Amino acid sequence: MNLRAILCALVLALACGRPESPGGPKSAGSGAGSSGSASMAKLMKDRNLSEADVTAALKTYTPSGRKDEFLVFASGGHSGQLLVIGVPSMRILKYVAVFTPEPWQGYGVGDKGSAEVLKEGSRHGKPITWGDMHHPALSETKGEYDGEFVFVNDKANPRIAVINLKDFVTEQIVESKLIEADHGGAFVTPNTEYVIETSQYAAPLGGAYADLKEYNEKYRGAMTFWHFDRAKRRIIPDESFAIEFPPYMQDLADSGKLTSDGWAFCNSINTERATGGVLEGNPPLESGASQNDMDYLHVVNWRKAAEVAKTKAKVIAGMRVIPLQVAIDEGLLFFVPEPKSPHGLDVTPDGEDLVVGGKLDTHATVFNFKKIQGLIAAKKFEAKDPYGVPILPFAESIRGQVELGLGPLHTAFDGDGNAYTSLFIETKVAKWNVKDLKLIEKISTQYNIGHLVAAEGDTVAPKGKYLIAMNKWALDRFNPVGPLLPQNFQLIDLSGDANGGKMQVLYDLPIGLGEPHNAQMIRADKIKPWNIYKPVGLDAVTKEKSPFAVEGGKERVERKGNVVDVYMTAIRSHFTPDVVRVKEGDKVRIHLTNLEQAHDATHGFALNSYNINASLEPGKHTELEFTADRAGVFPMYCTEFCSALHLEMAGYFLVEPKKK
Ligand code: K7E
Ligand code: CUA
């Protein structure tokens, strides 16, 4: 489209899109077009906007009240939270509290349910108040996103969390005591039978000690298959299992689908088994780890492994682990050489091929699942690794390689047979055709792109249309905010309809709370969240009516010894009771139900000096437990501006001092 056409389209849209107010001036006559374009041209000039800028605006601007077509679930990196972002508007809709206390949602600030979820995620009993979230994974049915759950990993303290998309609440965190850091997770199998979590930095399994001198013998990696029980909405650790791996650094993982269903794959780096130790006369870890021309793609038969785990696993740190030798003997694990310190591994939508980004290589290598299966069936192994894992011949395992540029990392897919690979060093996205392995075009990103996400791009049915480049650097993109800069999510239009068939950057969204690594983009209409909690008194974690739910009119305070139970309700614009009297040293349990059933009628409950702030969405019940260990007068008040008398939605919590 040329400028004139864009302006006409814009003016037309303005003229037809808005209903005229009754009795208002009738202005959409034939003259409006030209005066509209004149003022539009002036606006463009005043704001220094090019035609491409105006196209981008037209493609992303979302009028007030209009909803987005897609939702992105993006890692919030070190914040330990999950971001929900609308596409194409790139409006941030929510930060979902996962690994980190989050006051607005009342997560980990007094509420008992969320405190217990966070406690499940403590490490050997020590509370962990941050997370290094990398890879969100939406639940799938037959390889398509079903919109029910999202799983996320914490690389730093190997954990997986389960978030229910009925209310966007974290319901469970499982801690792996087997490994010391994860990275190849969370990835789900096509029907979400398992959530995969693969170790990254090798260590003795189960948290034992061994010196680095014993690295080759005693350090190990592992791929864990956490079993997810959809009806129970929980990961069941007792029905989960792991496979022991050699002490390489296992990296990104992915599940097979369709043709390759039943199998899982992960990359590795540091097959050199370097351990660093520069002051001990060793090469630095990163150079020691970059000597080999090839590392190993791990090919895992998880469906068979699930059977083998029933009889031949040994339990380490509470997890059933298939020993490496058993995995070799049973044909559960094979290696394929892969060029040099690879990073991303992405299975194509048809499940036929695996795309591996070379990182220190300029190619994406396309491994073919059927070829790999043929070699396994024919037992055509070229060697074994030092632990006895059979290695398939590289040349016969691949369908080909595509020369893309510097630093290929991750690959996403559209619905038309195209792949999009991030080039970290070149700071570009390369579009290429999966079938004929031909590079089509490249687009620059700002800057240093890591992951990229396309609409449902890692499912069996990608939707194309939009891609988001998740960039690590943003040096000249936004107003300076000190030396720590936000990261930059760039929305890229894949339709090509306004840019001569080419990709176009549409929008920059700064992410100011941690390094987001990966994201998932789902059609918004697949997610069907609740508007309110029903019946009144529902517990957000158990999703059942709380046995302590309080009915209107039955509010009361009961004392048994030094335990005080306060049965309290909230409704616009008061708490009942609004005065609570306890004695210093009492154990207090506030059972608090929001009686509202109106959409968005949320109250808060803050209690001064006791580190308490609850979020009470309509119908929600929350349990607050604490010891009244400080005497004094403590105002309690509602923290959501819920009504005209919100400021008056308050009361007193009186703690009478102990008699001396
Ligand atoms: Cu950042 Cu997936 Cu952890 Cu690549 S990883 S960028
Ligand atoms: Cu309730 Cu403000």
Side-chain angles (χ1 to χ4, degrees):
M1 258 204 276
N2 62 24
L3 177 59
R4 178 85 208 159
I6 289 170
L7 294 180
C8 287
L10 190 58
V11 169
L12 248 148
L14 287 173
C16 329
R18 298 257 166 85
E20 276 168 39
S21 54
K26 302 246 186 287
S27 61
S30 57
S34 52
S35 73
S37 347
S39 59
M40 204 56 60
K42 183 171 181 314
L43 248 179
M44 286 174 68
K45 189 158 172 277
D46 291 351
R47 293 209 63 220
N48 191 21
L49 300 176
S50 68
E51 270 184 48
D53 295 333
V54 175
T55 312
L58 286 172
K59 283 188 159 259
T60 54
Y61 174 68
T62 306
S64 176
R66 198 87 53 87
K67 315 273 192 314
D68 280 299
E69 186 182 355
F70 293 97
L71 289 182
V72 168
F73 291 84
S75 136
H78 321 159
S79 77
Q81 298 173 5
L82 180 74
L83 288 86
V84 187
I85 300 164
V87 168
S89 75
M90 300 301 274
R91 294 176 295 194
I92 294 179
L93 304 176
K94 197 166 200 172
Y95 299 132
V96 180
V98 184
F99 295 117
T100 315
E102 202 290 310
W104 172 56
Q105 290 158 59
Y107 189 81
V109 278
D111 155 75
K112 197 176 162 207
S114 61
E116 280 170 5
V117 172
L118 280 166
K119 198 170 159 215
E120 288 180 316
S122 41
R123 188 83 181 135
H124 307 293
K126 188 181 184 66
I128 304 289
T129 56
W130 74 294
D132 186 13
M133 191 186 291
H134 280 232
H135 308 112
L138 285 159
S139 57
E140 295 181 11
T141 300
K142 295 187 178 152
E144 288 208 61
Y145 297 154
D146 55 42
E148 292 195 340
F149 298 92
V150 56
F151 308 92
V152 295
N153 76 315
D154 170 13
K155 167 169 165 162
N157 296 280
R159 299 182 291 175
I160 299 284
V162 181
I163 297 135
N164 190 332
L165 294 179
K166 281 281 169 272
D167 56 354
F168 290 55
V169 163
T170 303
E171 291 186 347
Q172 185 186 21
I173 300 177
V174 290
E175 172 215 7
S176 174
K177 292 194 178 74
L178 187 67
I179 56 177
E180 299 304 323
D182 72 29
H183 197 225
F187 296 96
V188 299
T189 52
N191 284 305
T192 321
E193 302 95 333
Y194 291 101
V195 183
I196 298 173
E197 181 193 34
T198 313
S199 60
Q200 178 133 72
Y201 307 118
L205 293 183
Y209 176 80
D211 193 83
L212 281 170
K213 291 189 194 86
E214 299 180 288
Y215 186 89
N216 293 349
E217 300 77 41
K218 300 220 168 140
Y219 285 52
R220 290 292 180 268
M223 183 180 267
T224 301
F225 294 83
W226 292 101
H227 176 58
F228 183 65
D229 184 326
R230 205 183 274 262
K232 293 186 176 136
R233 314 182 326 273
R234 290 186 78 76
I235 284 173
I236 313 291
D238 286 347
E239 294 169 20
S240 306
F241 66 95
I243 303 174
E244 181 187 359
F245 282 171
Y248 310 138
M249 283 182 194
Q250 280 78 23
D251 204 32
L252 270 287
D254 204 357
S255 291
K257 48 175 93 103
L258 301 175
T259 320
S260 50
D261 186 16
W263 292 73
F265 312 95
C266 86
N267 283 332
S268 64
I269 49 181
N270 194 24
T271 49
E272 298 84 350
R273 294 175 288 168
T275 59
V278 281
L279 295 186
E280 299 170 15
N282 295 328
L285 183 52
E286 85 278 15
S287 73
S290 310
Q291 300 303 310
N292 295 349
D293 283 336
M294 292 283 191
D295 292 287
Y296 300 129
L297 169 68
H298 295 35
V299 177
V300 177
N301 187 341
W302 67 257
R303 194 157 275 141
K304 187 169 176 201
E307 290 305 311
V308 171
K310 288 177 185 159
T311 54
K312 296 188 175 162
K314 62 175 188 186
V315 175
I316 305 175
M319 177 62 68
R320 290 183 296 157
V321 182
I322 299 174
L324 182 54
Q325 192 59 51
V326 175
I328 296 166
D329 296 344
E330 296 285 338
L332 308 179
L333 177 64
F334 303 91
F335 286 166
V336 189
E338 53 182 357
K340 175 145 190 166
S341 304
H343 185 50
L345 185 160
D346 299 279
V347 176
T348 52
D350 58 13
E352 300 270 344
D353 296 315
L354 292 66
V355 179
V356 169
K359 201 167 78 184
L360 300 184
D361 182 75
T362 53
H363 297 93
T365 302
V366 180
F367 294 86
N368 182 264
F369 180 73
K370 283 189 185 135
K371 288 188 172 196
I372 289 173
Q373 288 304 305
L375 294 166
I376 290 172
K379 294 202 164 40
K380 195 152 180 225
F381 308 134
E382 65 174 19
K384 286 182 173 173
D385 90 325
Y387 299 87
V389 182
I391 303 172
L392 310 181
F394 171 72
E396 292 167 56
S397 301
I398 66 169
R399 191 160 66 74
Q401 291 185 294
V402 211
E403 171 116 31
L404 294 176
L406 300 177
L409 295 186
H410 300 285
T411 299
F413 304 95
D414 69 13
D416 300 318
N418 300 308
Y420 301 83
T421 300
S422 55
L423 303 176
F424 177 78
I425 299 171
E426 226 178 291
T427 166
K428 287 194 170 102
V429 172
K431 175 181 178 181
W432 53 282
N433 185 281
V434 177
K435 198 160 161 235
D436 59 21
L437 306 179
K438 289 252 163 58
L439 179 67
I440 298 168
E441 62 161 312
K442 289 191 198 177
I443 185 171
S444 288
T445 58
Q446 285 78 28
Y447 300 94
N448 295 71
I449 175 174
H451 274 277
L452 31 60
V453 59
E456 309 202 357
D458 62 354
T459 70
V460 299
K463 303 290 179 284
K465 219 162 168 176
Y466 299 109
L467 183 82
I468 295 175
M470 306 170 75
N471 305 319
K472 311 289 188 188
W473 291 45
L475 51 159
D476 57 4
R477 293 290 102 175
F478 307 111
N479 298 64
V481 288
L484 181 61
L485 269 52
Q487 309 227 331
N488 187 7
F489 277 15
Q490 284 189 306
L491 181 69
I492 296 173
D493 179 21
L494 298 182
S495 71
D497 55 12
N499 195 29
K502 291 204 153 62
M503 295 184 276
Q504 184 192 355
V505 171
L506 298 179
Y507 196 85
D508 283 15
L509 170 68
I511 303 289
L513 89 167
E515 183 187 345
H517 289 260
N518 199 14
Q520 304 251 277
M521 196 192 309
I522 180 174
R523 252 180 39 213
D525 61 9
K526 283 192 179 174
I527 300 196
K528 306 220 157 34
W530 294 338
N531 285 335
I532 56 169
Y533 286 104
K534 211 172 157 178
V536 169
L538 209 78
D539 178 309
V541 174
T542 64
K543 298 285 187 285
E544 280 167 15
K545 187 167 174 174
S546 167
F548 300 102
V550 187
E551 273 175 53
K554 299 210 174 143
E555 299 88 348
R556 64 206 183 272
V557 180
E558 291 173 357
R559 170 182 285 280
K560 282 192 201 94
N562 70 338
V563 178
V564 179
D565 283 294
V566 181
Y567 293 87
M568 185 185 281
T569 60
I571 194 161
R572 277 163 287 176
S573 304
H574 51 268
F575 297 108
T576 309
D578 55 354
V579 173
V580 178
R581 297 169 196 277
V582 304
K583 297 196 166 60
E584 185 181 353
D586 280 348
K587 190 178 171 204
V588 179
R589 300 192 295 213
I590 301 179
H591 314 286
L592 179 48
T593 303
N594 180 359
L595 300 176
E596 307 272 1
Q597 286 284 274
H599 196 186
D600 210 11
T602 298
H603 301 286
F605 177 87
L607 182 58
N608 150 19
S609 302
Y610 282 98
N611 196 35
I612 287 174
N613 183 39
S615 172
L616 298 158
E617 296 97 290
K620 184 165 143 185
H621 179 84
T622 191
E623 291 281 308
L624 307 165
E625 271 191 29
F626 58 98
T627 301
D629 49 12
R630 190 175 169 271
V633 172
F634 305 96
M636 50 192 197
Y637 71 96
C638 172
T639 44
E640 291 275 338
F641 209 113
C642 54
S643 60
L645 294 174
H646 152 78
L647 293 171
E648 291 83 349
M649 189 166 174
Y652 281 103
F653 184 79
L654 300 164
V655 183
E656 189 187 325
K658 266 192 189 133
K659 300 227 164 60
K660 295 259 157 69

